[in-house]
Amino acid sequence: MLSSRLFWKIFGTYAALTLVAALSFVAIQSSRQREIVIEQAQQRLHDSAVILRSRMADSFEKGQTAELQQTLVQLGKQNGTRLTLVTEDGTVIGDSAESPEVMDNHNNREELRLARTSGFGVSQRQSPTLDLPMLNYALRVDQGEQVVGFVRVSMTVKALNAQVDSVQRLIWVTAMTVSIVALVLTYFVVGRLIRPLILLTQSAEAIADGDLRQQVVIPSRDELGALAGAFNLMSQKLSMQIDELHQKSAELAKNSERLETVLGGMVEGVIAVDGDERVLFVNQAANSLLEISTPEIVGRPIWEAVRNPAIQKVVKSALESKGQENIELEIPRSEAIVSLLAAQLPGDPCPGVVLVFHDVTDLRRLENIRQEFVSNVSHELKTPLTSIQAYAETLLSGAIDDPDHNRKFLKGIEEQATRLHALILDLLRISRIESGADTFEVSTVPLVETVELCIREHAAICNTKSIQLSMQTHTGEIYVLADPEGLQTILNNLIDNAINYTPSGGQVSVDWAVQNSMVSIKVKDTGIGIPKDHQKRVFERFYRVDKARSREMGGTGLGLSIVKHLAQEFGGEAEVNSEPGQGSTFTVRLPLAQNEKKLGFQKIQAAND
Ligand code: ADP
C-alpha cells in the first residue's frame, strides 16, 4: 500500500489540508488569545486604578509622605502590580516599586498624557525607571472641575507574555493532537479505500500476464465490493473464452497440419495465392513441377517465383471472374506439359485463388504414342491386305485360268498372308508384354543349351544363304534368370536379323560373358550395319532403317522392340553397337542365376518337343 501513488496522493492532500487547518487554527486562536489576555489585564489594571483612586483621593493634597509610600508598597505586593501616584504637574508622590525622590517628572508619560485629556490612558512601553517592558493604565483624579493628579497601575509585559505563551502552547498541543489523530484516521480510511484498488490492479496485471484464474475478495458491500464482483465475473468469462479460443486454435492448427500433410503428399502441385497475388501456400509437388528456386516463397508475389506469363494471366482472370480457369501449358525448361486449374477460394470478398497443377506429360506422350501406333499398325496391315486384294482381283478377272501366272498370284497371296500372320503374332506379343498380360515364369534357364537350340533351328537357312553361324566354345553351363520361351524369342529375333541383314559369305556368331551379376549375350554379324543416327531408334516399334528391305526380308519392324521389352521384363537391357558396312553387335544383358535351382532347361526341351 505504501508504494501506491494514489494512496500518497489522497493521503498527502488530506495531510496538507489538516496541516493548513491546524496552522490557521493556531494562528487565529493565538492572536485572539493575546487580545483577550491584554483586555483582561487592562480590565484588571482599570479595576485596581479605580479602587486606588477612591482610596487615595486625599493623598494628593497631603503630597508625598512615608505613610503613603508604605501603603502603596503593601498594596502593590498584594495586588502584584506597580502602583504610582502622580500629581497634576507630573511629580511622583508615591510608587510601590521605587522611591519617588529618584523618579523624574512623569508629565510626558504616554498614559498620563492620554488620561489628562480623556480621563484614562493605556500604554505599553519600556519603563525608564525599571527598565522593563510595562503595561500601564492611568486614571485622572479630579476634584470638582480641577485635575489634581493621576493614579497609575502597571504590570510587567513579561507576566502577560508568560500567560499568552502558556495559552499558545495549549493551542499548539491541541492543534497538533487533533492533527495527528486526523492523520491517523485519514491513513486508515484512505488505506481501506486503496487496498481493494491495489488488489484489483494486481489481479488485472496477473490476468495480463496470462494467469486467468484470478479472484479478488473484497468483503465490503459498497461500490468497491460491486466492482470486485464484476471483475471476478469478467475474469471468469475471459478465462472461459480464452480456453475456448485455445481449443479452437489447437483444432485449427491440427486441421491445417492435416491439410498441409495431405496437400504435401499430393502428386498434383498446389499453390494458393491471396487477393494481392501473394503466395499463401505451396506444396512440394508444385515446387518441383514448376522448378521454383526462390527460397521462402510464401508471402511473396507469385510472379516473383513463377515467371510464367500464362500462369500469371490465369491468376489474374481467376481473381476477377467467379468461374474456374483451365489451361494446359508447357514448362519451358523441363518441357513438361502441365494442366492448370484455377479456382477462387471461398469467401466474399474473394480471399484469393487456388491453383492445381497436374503433370500430363506422360499422358500426352502416351496419347501420341498410341496415335502413332494405331496409324503404324493400320499402315502395316494395309500393305499386305492391298497386295492380297490386288492378287485376288487379278485372279478373279481371268488370271485364274492363266496356267502360267495363276500359281504365281496364289503364291503372292500366301506370302502376304504369312506376313500378315507374322505381323499379327508380333503385335499380339508386344501388346501382351506391354500391358503386363503376358505373365512370365522367370526361372533359371540354361543359356548355352538355349543358344545351341536356336543355332540348330537356323542352321538350314544359313546353309542356303552361305552364312557361317557359330557360337562360343564353352566349358560349362551358365544359367540366367529369364522366362525360357522369352529367352528363346530374344535369341531367335537377334539371330534372324543378323542373318537377314548379312550378305552371303558373311558370319554370324553368338558369345556370352559373365560380368558381375549379369550375363552379356552378344549376337554379332558382319552384315550391312546400322548408321549411327538410326542406332538409338531401332528398338522403337515399327522403326526400320530401310523399309523396303525389311519388308522384302519379311520383317515386321517389331522384332527389336520385343527383344528390348523382354530383356527389361527380366531385369536386363538391350543395346546395339554397329558400324555401317562392317556389321552389328546386339548385346542383351540378363541377370545371372547364381544360387537358384536350375530347372529351366527341362522346360525348354518339353516346349520344343
Ligand atoms: P524387322 O522386322 O524390320 O527386322 P526389327 O525390329 O527386328 O524389325 O529391326 C528393326 C530395324 O533394325 C530393321 O528394319 C533393320 O533396319 C535394323 N536391323 C535390325 N537388325 C539388324 C542387323 N543385324 N543389321 C543391320 N540392321 C539391322
Side-chain angles (χ1 to χ4, degrees):
M1 188 174 72
L2 293 177
S3 59
S4 162
R5 292 176 69 180
L6 183 61
F7 171 81
W8 285 113
K9 266 187 196 165
I10 298 174
F11 181 73
T13 310
Y14 272 91
L17 282 174
T18 309
L19 216 62
V20 168
L23 289 175
S24 308
F25 172 76
V26 168
I28 292 164
Q29 284 302 316
S30 295
S31 84
R32 180 71 196 125
Q33 284 307 314
R34 172 173 281 278
E35 280 169 18
I36 289 170
V37 167
I38 289 172
E39 269 172 27
Q40 281 175 349
Q42 279 180 7
Q43 189 61 47
R44 193 176 143 213
L45 291 176
H46 167 78
D47 293 348
S48 301
V50 169
I51 294 167
L52 190 63
R53 183 172 66 177
S54 65
R55 278 188 62 178
M56 297 295 172
D58 302 341
S59 303
F60 290 97
E61 282 176 17
K62 292 176 193 165
Q64 183 188 349
T65 60
E67 194 187 344
L68 174 67
Q69 183 62 20
Q70 206 179 341
T71 311
L72 286 176
V73 170
Q74 268 180 359
L75 283 171
K77 268 186 192 161
Q78 285 168 5
N79 201 29
T81 53
R82 181 188 177 191
L83 307 172
T84 311
L85 261 64
V86 183
T87 59
E88 188 274 334
D89 61 357
T91 311
V92 178
I93 57 170
D95 188 89
S96 64
E98 196 55 77
S99 171
E101 286 87 15
V102 297
M103 291 172 71
D104 58 359
N105 189 291
H106 274 44
N107 243 351
N108 62 345
R109 297 297 194 268
E110 191 189 351
E111 65 277 8
L112 296 185
R113 276 194 282 113
L114 289 169
R116 190 183 294 280
T117 54
S118 55
F120 74 95
V122 182
S123 77
Q124 193 178 329
R125 58 180 174 76
Q126 189 73 11
S127 160
T129 315
L130 300 177
D131 198 19
L132 284 171
M134 301 291 284
L135 177 66
N136 306 293
Y137 190 91
L139 264 184
R140 196 175 65 198
V141 184
D142 299 328
Q143 274 184 356
E145 292 288 305
Q146 205 180 340
V147 177
V148 290
F150 303 93
V151 291
R152 188 185 70 178
V153 184
S154 310
M155 64 192 307
T156 59
V157 174
K158 203 176 159 192
L160 279 178
N161 284 344
Q163 209 178 334
V164 169
D165 284 351
S166 94
V167 172
Q168 276 185 345
R169 254 198 306 280
L170 192 66
I171 292 168
W172 271 108
V173 169
T174 310
M176 285 305 111
T177 312
V178 170
S179 300
I180 288 167
V181 171
L183 285 179
V184 170
L185 278 175
T186 307
Y187 180 87
F188 285 110
V189 170
V190 175
R192 269 181 74 94
L193 281 173
I194 293 296
R195 200 166 295 115
L197 292 177
I198 292 173
L199 281 175
L200 284 168
T201 311
Q202 284 170 349
S203 298
E205 280 171 358
I207 287 174
D209 286 345
D211 179 6
L212 297 171
R213 314 207 175 278
Q214 287 294 318
Q215 289 290 305
V216 185
V217 182
I218 297 172
S220 65
R221 291 187 180 181
D222 53 13
E223 285 80 359
L224 284 171
L227 177 63
F231 179 88
N232 289 340
L233 198 67
M234 182 194 77
S235 80
Q236 263 175 17
K237 282 193 177 168
L238 200 64
S239 162
M240 274 160 58
Q241 279 173 353
I242 287 183
D243 280 352
E244 262 175 44
L245 274 178
H246 276 153
Q247 267 178 9
K248 276 186 188 159
S249 76
E251 256 173 54
L252 271 177
K254 223 175 180 181
N255 281 348
S256 91
E257 224 171 79
R258 267 188 223 139
L259 194 66
E260 270 191 38
T261 315
V262 170
L263 291 174
M266 272 172 67
V267 185
E268 286 83 9
V270 179
I271 298 180
V273 294
D274 65 12
D276 297 327
E277 296 181 27
R278 289 182 182 281
V279 176
L280 297 171
F281 172 82
V282 57
N283 71 351
Q284 189 50 46
N287 266 325
S288 46
L289 199 60
L290 304 176
E291 297 176 330
I292 298 171
S293 53
T294 322
E296 311 279 330
I297 178 185
V298 173
R300 294 195 185 188
I302 189 165
W303 43 261
E304 249 183 47
V306 185
R307 297 185 186 278
N308 189 315
I311 296 176
Q312 290 160 19
K313 204 172 147 196
V314 166
V315 170
K316 273 195 196 347
S317 58
L319 277 171
E320 282 159 16
S321 68
K322 286 236 177 291
Q324 289 187 345
E325 298 281 328
N326 199 347
I327 59 160
E328 210 164 276
L329 53 112
E330 194 181 326
I331 308 297
R333 242 189 300 171
S334 62
E335 291 180 358
I337 299 164
V338 173
S339 154
L340 164 60
L341 181 85
Q344 283 193 353
L345 290 167
D348 196 22
C350 167
V353 289
V354 62
L355 311 171
V356 181
F357 298 88
H358 189 197
D359 188 352
V360 291
T361 318
D362 287 343
L363 200 68
R364 295 289 170 267
R365 194 175 55 81
L366 285 173
E367 270 174 17
N368 287 342
I369 290 172
R370 191 177 56 84
Q371 275 170 10
E372 209 178 301
F373 182 70
V374 168
S375 90
N376 280 335
V377 168
S378 316
H379 182 73
E380 292 296 328
L381 291 174
K382 207 175 116 196
T383 315
L385 275 175
T386 312
S387 301
I388 289 171
Q389 204 176 10
Y391 285 133
E393 274 172 13
T394 315
L395 284 170
L396 284 172
S397 60
I400 196 160
D401 301 319
D402 178 355
D404 295 337
H405 293 101
N406 56 6
R407 286 192 68 81
K408 198 178 121 201
F409 291 137
L410 284 172
K411 187 90 183 128
I413 289 174
E414 192 203 11
E415 269 174 20
Q416 293 306 323
T418 310
R419 206 176 137 205
L420 211 53
H421 183 242
L423 186 67
I424 287 166
L425 280 183
D426 276 357
L427 274 173
L428 279 175
R429 185 173 288 157
I430 203 159
S431 83
R432 277 165 63 202
I433 298 170
E434 281 187 359
S435 68
D438 220 352
T439 46
F440 296 101
E441 278 189 40
V442 175
S443 56
T444 54
V445 186
L447 176 69
V448 180
E449 296 290 352
T450 314
V451 172
E452 278 174 350
L453 200 71
C454 293
I455 289 213
R456 272 205 303 275
E457 277 179 15
H458 289 87
I461 181 94
C462 282
N463 273 338
T464 321
K465 281 191 78 178
S466 306
I467 288 171
Q468 191 188 329
L469 178 62
S470 64
M471 65 183 273
Q472 173 183 320
T473 47
H474 58 92
T475 51
E477 186 55 275
I478 290 179
Y479 293 90
V480 292
L481 282 177
D483 171 79
E485 262 184 74
L487 180 62
Q488 260 186 298
T489 309
I490 291 172
L491 289 169
N492 280 336
N493 282 2
L494 292 178
I495 295 168
D496 272 346
N497 279 349
I499 295 167
N500 282 342
Y501 298 104
T502 301
S504 297
Q507 290 165 10
V508 174
S509 64
V510 183
D511 302 330
W512 57 86
V514 176
Q515 288 169 342
N516 300 323
S517 56
M518 302 295 275
V519 181
S520 290
I521 307 156
K522 289 186 197 298
V523 178
K524 205 170 169 184
D525 64 59
T526 55
I528 57 169
I530 304 167
K532 273 270 171 288
D533 47 333
H534 291 274
Q535 285 178 22
K536 257 193 239 158
R537 304 197 60 192
V538 287
F539 291 100
E540 287 175 21
R541 284 175 300 196
F542 299 115
Y543 191 84
R544 298 165 171 115
V545 178
D546 181 344
K547 281 195 174 119
R549 183 167 187 151
S550 163
R551 290 213 180 93
E552 201 184 298
M553 302 288 172
T556 59
L558 293 170
L560 287 181
S561 179
I562 292 170
V563 168
K564 191 184 96 179
H565 278 98
L566 282 172
Q568 283 173 349
E569 276 296 312
F570 304 147
E573 58 187 2
E575 65 175 34
V576 63
N577 215 315
S578 178
E579 198 61 51
Q582 304 280 308
S584 312
T585 305
F586 282 85
T587 309
V588 172
R589 283 190 197 85
L590 293 176
L592 173 71
Q594 283 160 325
N595 299 317
E596 284 79 358
K597 226 174 141 195
K598 287 113 182 152
L599 303 161
F601 187 55
Q602 284 84 349
K603 249 184 173 177
I604 296 171
Q605 275 192 328
N608 284 306
D609 292 344

